[in-house]
Amino acid sequence: MLDPENPLAAPSTLPHGLPPFDALRTEHFAPALREGMAQQRAEVEAVATSAAPASFASTVGALEASGELLARAANAFYNLVSSDSDDALRAVEAELAPELTAHSDAIHLDSRLFARLTAVRDQTSDGGPDADGEVLDAEQRAVLERWWRDLARAGAGLDEGAKARLREVNGELARLTTQFGTALLAATNAAAVHVTDAAELAGLSDGERAAAAQAATARGLQGWVLPLSLPTDQPVLASLDHRGLRERVFRASTTRGLGGEHDTRPLLVRIAALRAERAGLLGAAHHAEHVLADATAPSVEAVMELLTSVVPAAVSNARGEALELAEELRAVEGQDAGGRDAELRPWDWAWAAARVRARRFSLDPAELRPYFELDAVITRGVFAAATALYGLTFTERPDLPTYHPDVRTWEVFDEAGASVGLFLGDFFARESKRGGAWMSNYVDQVALPAAEGRPARTSRPVVVNNLNVPRPPDGEPALLTPDEVETAFHEFGHALHGLLSDVRYPRLSGTTVPRDFVEFPSQVNEVWAWDPALLPAYARHVETGRPLPAEQVSALLASRSYGQGFATTEIVAAMLLDQAWHQLAPGEAVESDDVEAFEAAALERHGVALELVPPRYRSTYFNHVFSGGYSAGYYSYLWSEVLDADTVEWFAEHGGLRRVNGAAFAREVLSRGGAVDLAAAYRAFRGRDPRVEPLLERRGLAATGS
């Protein structure tokens, strides 16, 4: 029995069930999670052993209503593990990961539940009533199908021997993926580059130097520290004039997890092997085939066709860009002591590209940053776009508790003044936060109807956006790069998907859609960052208040299409690398010492082995696929971009940032979660299936016909 004094024991009384962060302690989580599992086991056992004929309400409805305490505790716990963890919290994660996996297996491998779900599915397959005489509506059919497919894909129909092995595999995977994330965070923190010579920082702005000095102070070091972000290409590489320091940063980035105390290779090869074995047990040729069976992409072959089709043009464009960048490098570096021209290296690319972009478009990146102050970007940019499109307004709530002093909370209201949820913004980097940027829920939108023996349950969403912007010294503004601006809009697209959700069942709420669809709304939202009607409102000089000059706006917009050869090649290389690891057949093992060779062979096989353009993520720090939820699904960013580019074309055709356009997108896409067939939802919005041509044009690939 859970101590009633535990802050997680009962639903939070704060607005929309915001967790009581001021009362939560690490020691509260394990008891709450274990009690949550026990309660859900009892609830599920009652469903499985019911003597009544299987019906929607007694089976699917009861399953959807189960696990309330577990969901409340798990949402709070895993969000904090990602955004503000310490050794104690990570120890709880490692301890509980196998237990939580075993708990999930107990539900998803239960043949009794599967039989009841199958009975309801068979009863209603022709549109007829279930055992209670209820004719299911579209959302009920969707959640029934979701549960049935979840159990079928998990192995509920297998024999007991295969189920026993599945439980072992799932338990080990839970431990290993947790360990990978922990090891990578430690490796990334350890690889931060310490600088003691101020001359090496030439090219950095005053704000960037101050942030680096603060990072050093936080680590108890003299001088400056350049922390690493998750991808290969570190943002600081575009600014640093000191070639030696650029090389140090690049090598620190690309060698994370390769040997030493935080070697991730043994973990990742075992993860890949276990995923392949599990796929075989479940009747798939490999893990990618298993994953794609529950995606909007129709097959592995379709995914590979999309990825490989863009490679020739992307690589050709990247090679052309490299020639121009090599000239830029030679113009600055000249010749070495032996009379040889300076040779373009991977750590020179971003720096040379920034110089070419600045000259070609008369654009100095350092001059842009003062126009993109974080608070203005969020409140007068990101929020303003949401107001124009969806009628949402935002009121900051400093009275509500947060889990870290940097976190800000806003209450979100609709046009009628009704509160629709809470939005938490956690924008600054710190050692306790994993790299990258992401959105997550603390509370899901739910509107469960009442049923016999249980009351109705409703909740509005509490969502969080995490960025990793370097924290400026106290009293100084946080200034963003254009890429960071775009990331802020992207992540808020996910937040809108959660905030505008309007479904009944937790399993269908918000962003609980296939991985290759979930990035679609967020990528659409990026376009508003550069909307000419919105830019003057938020892109204003932090000191003078003057808007970004028109000529710089034009240059910035023109420059956004520059460098697409590099951008497409690096991300497609990572997508193909993900597929290579997850198309391993059961029993097809890779040794830890062969990770680099396997990676090189995969890139070579698909024609993306460019030394100057390494993958966006190398295997050893590919957190998305070895610790996050993107295994065999990293392709989804490009797959979703097909929908995104086609949708942006629709917005342009219909007048852009208009309330009527936002209403259509919210009605057909954002509000529906997983309650509708997503291909049908897109057709309902767009009036047809998506076209790939807008994507090819955006990425500069259309001219080749690829």
Side-chain angles (χ1 to χ4, degrees):
M1 195 69 176
L2 186 62
D3 183 347
E5 297 300 313
N6 189 311
L8 295 166
S12 169
T13 59
L14 293 170
H16 301 304
L18 177 75
F21 294 118
D22 51 348
L24 269 178
R25 303 291 181 268
T26 298
E27 59 267 24
H28 294 137
F29 287 110
L33 289 165
R34 288 190 170 112
E35 177 62 22
M37 286 187 277
Q39 288 184 13
Q40 190 174 36
R41 279 197 299 272
E43 293 162 342
V44 170
E45 186 66 14
V47 176
T49 59
S50 174
S55 67
F56 179 88
S58 66
T59 306
V60 180
L63 288 172
E64 284 290 285
S66 72
E68 184 179 0
L69 169 60
L70 180 59
R72 181 166 64 244
N75 283 350
F77 176 68
Y78 281 106
N79 272 296
L80 292 178
V81 166
S82 294
S83 58
D84 195 30
S85 67
D86 55 21
D87 290 343
L89 205 61
R90 286 190 287 270
V92 175
E93 181 192 22
E95 177 186 351
L96 284 176
E99 294 180 38
L100 288 161
T101 298
H103 173 73
S104 178
D105 283 347
I107 296 172
H108 290 89
L109 295 177
D110 192 322
S111 56
R112 301 168 301 170
L113 283 182
F114 191 50
R116 291 183 68 83
L117 289 163
T118 301
V120 179
R121 188 173 184 257
D122 290 345
Q123 292 163 12
T124 59
S125 61
D126 61 355
D130 68 0
D132 289 343
E134 183 175 13
V135 176
L136 307 188
D137 61 26
E139 187 172 335
Q140 289 173 313
R141 290 195 301 272
V143 73
L144 166 61
E145 186 65 17
R146 180 71 274 166
W147 269 99
W148 187 89
R149 284 173 61 85
D150 282 352
L151 267 68
R153 295 182 71 254
L158 298 179
D159 62 51
E160 290 307 313
K163 286 182 182 179
R165 179 55 187 154
L166 267 178
R167 291 186 181 96
E168 293 173 355
V169 168
N170 288 339
E172 187 174 356
L173 278 170
R175 289 190 294 273
L176 293 175
T177 53
T178 298
Q179 290 171 15
F180 184 95
T182 299
L184 177 55
L185 178 61
T188 300
N189 286 334
V193 177
H194 183 206
V195 181
T196 57
D197 183 355
E200 292 187 351
L201 300 176
L204 296 189
S205 67
D206 291 343
E208 289 171 314
R209 288 172 182 249
Q214 182 164 286
T217 300
R219 290 166 170 79
L221 298 172
Q222 298 294 315
W224 303 264
V225 164
L226 303 177
L228 299 183
S229 57
L230 202 54
T232 294
D233 192 35
Q234 300 297 312
V236 74
L237 290 174
S239 303
L240 287 171
D241 290 333
H242 193 281
R243 200 176 185 205
L245 183 54
R246 291 203 302 268
E247 181 177 359
R248 284 175 59 201
V249 170
F250 177 84
R251 293 195 183 279
S253 177
T254 55
T255 57
R256 284 173 288 171
L258 279 175
E261 180 183 0
H262 309 300
D263 194 344
T264 60
R265 291 175 298 175
L267 297 171
L268 74 89
V269 297
R270 182 62 177 159
I271 289 168
L274 286 169
R275 286 173 174 166
E277 181 186 355
R278 181 174 60 185
L281 288 168
L282 295 169
H286 40 61
H287 182 68
E289 182 177 276
H290 175 68
V291 168
L292 268 291
D294 191 37
T296 57
S299 65
V300 173
E301 291 73 23
V303 167
M304 294 302 292
E305 181 180 356
L306 174 65
L307 298 183
T308 56
S309 70
V310 303
V311 166
V315 169
S316 175
N317 289 355
R319 293 188 194 280
E321 291 164 11
L323 294 175
E324 184 176 29
L325 300 184
E327 291 182 8
E328 181 68 27
L329 179 72
R330 285 193 295 271
V332 175
E333 295 290 336
Q335 296 181 328
D336 62 19
R340 295 180 294 268
D341 287 338
E343 181 182 358
L344 185 71
R345 304 293 290 162
W347 47 86
D348 299 318
W349 189 291
W351 174 84
R355 292 177 62 89
V356 170
R357 184 183 286 109
R359 184 176 64 255
R360 178 175 296 178
F361 302 103
S362 301
L363 197 66
D364 183 351
E367 293 181 359
L368 290 178
R369 288 171 63 94
Y371 290 94
F372 298 124
E373 189 269 324
L374 174 63
D375 184 70
V377 169
I378 298 299
T379 60
R380 299 202 298 269
V382 172
F383 289 173
T387 301
L389 287 165
Y390 309 112
L392 301 177
T393 54
F394 303 81
T395 299
E396 190 157 12
R397 295 291 305 271
D399 56 306
L400 296 178
T402 61
Y403 56 85
H404 190 277
D406 287 343
V407 179
R408 300 170 67 183
T409 303
W410 287 267
E411 190 165 6
V412 187
F413 298 90
D414 65 16
E415 285 176 308
S419 180
V420 302
L422 296 177
F423 171 72
L424 280 62
D426 187 352
F427 303 124
F428 295 124
R430 53 182 173 268
E431 288 191 78
S432 62
K433 183 194 286 190
R434 69 175 171 88
W438 68 96
M439 168 269 185
S440 189
N441 280 27
Y442 277 98
V443 179
D444 298 324
Q445 180 269 319
V446 173
L448 272 173
E452 184 177 352
R454 65 175 185 272
R457 188 171 95 231
T458 62
S459 61
R460 294 304 308 167
V462 177
V463 305
V464 60
N465 274 178
N466 280 271
L467 306 181
N468 266 286
V469 176
R471 196 188 194 289
D474 291 343
E476 296 190 19
L479 305 179
L480 308 187
T481 66
D483 284 346
E484 288 168 335
V485 171
E486 197 163 276
T487 298
F489 276 84
H490 175 100
E491 295 305 331
F492 198 73
H494 287 306
L496 289 166
H497 205 173
L499 288 166
L500 295 175
S501 177
D502 186 18
V503 300
R504 281 169 280 169
Y505 300 102
R507 186 63 185 83
L508 306 176
S509 181
T511 57
T512 52
V513 296
R515 183 65 68 188
D516 57 4
F517 192 87
V518 75
E519 296 298 335
F520 161 45
S522 58
Q523 290 176 187
V524 168
N525 207 57
E526 293 176 18
V527 73
W528 308 121
W530 316 119
D531 187 270
L534 192 64
L535 264 172
Y538 80 85
R540 290 179 171 270
H541 197 281
V542 68
E543 295 178 356
T544 67
R546 293 176 181 171
L548 188 64
E551 61 272 17
Q552 287 192 298
V553 171
S554 298
L556 174 61
L557 297 180
S559 73
R560 300 303 294 168
S561 62
Y562 175 75
Q564 284 299 313
F566 176 93
T568 305
T569 300
E570 67 147 4
I571 199 165
V572 170
M575 292 169 179
L576 289 166
L577 190 57
D578 172 32
Q579 290 297 313
W581 282 112
H582 293 113
Q583 289 182 28
L584 291 171
E588 187 180 359
V590 176
E591 298 298 325
S592 298
D593 291 344
D594 294 333
V595 165
E596 291 175 280
F598 175 87
E599 180 177 295
L603 299 176
E604 185 68 37
R605 184 165 64 250
H606 294 297
V608 286
L610 276 69
E611 181 190 5
L612 289 173
V613 188
R616 183 169 176 81
Y617 299 100
R618 301 283 300 272
S619 302
T620 54
Y621 50 92
F622 208 161
N623 193 72
H624 281 73
V625 303
F626 291 117
S627 185
Y630 281 80
S631 62
Y634 194 63
Y635 77 89
S636 62
Y637 286 94
L638 194 66
W639 193 270
S640 293
E641 195 178 346
V642 173
L643 304 179
D644 152 35
D646 195 52
T647 297
V648 167
E649 184 178 76
W650 179 91
F651 272 104
E653 292 168 353
H654 289 78
L657 200 70
R658 299 173 61 214
R659 181 72 182 88
V660 65
N661 293 341
F665 194 56
R667 181 180 62 251
E668 303 296 348
V669 178
L670 296 177
S671 67
R672 305 309 299 136
V676 294
D677 176 82
L678 297 174
Y682 189 83
R683 284 192 293 272
F685 165 69
R686 188 67 169 99
R688 58 165 172 74
D689 288 327
R691 297 167 56 248
V692 73
E693 286 77 12
L695 166 68
L696 300 179
E697 292 168 7
R698 172 191 288 181
R699 288 190 169 266
L701 307 175
T704 68
S706 298

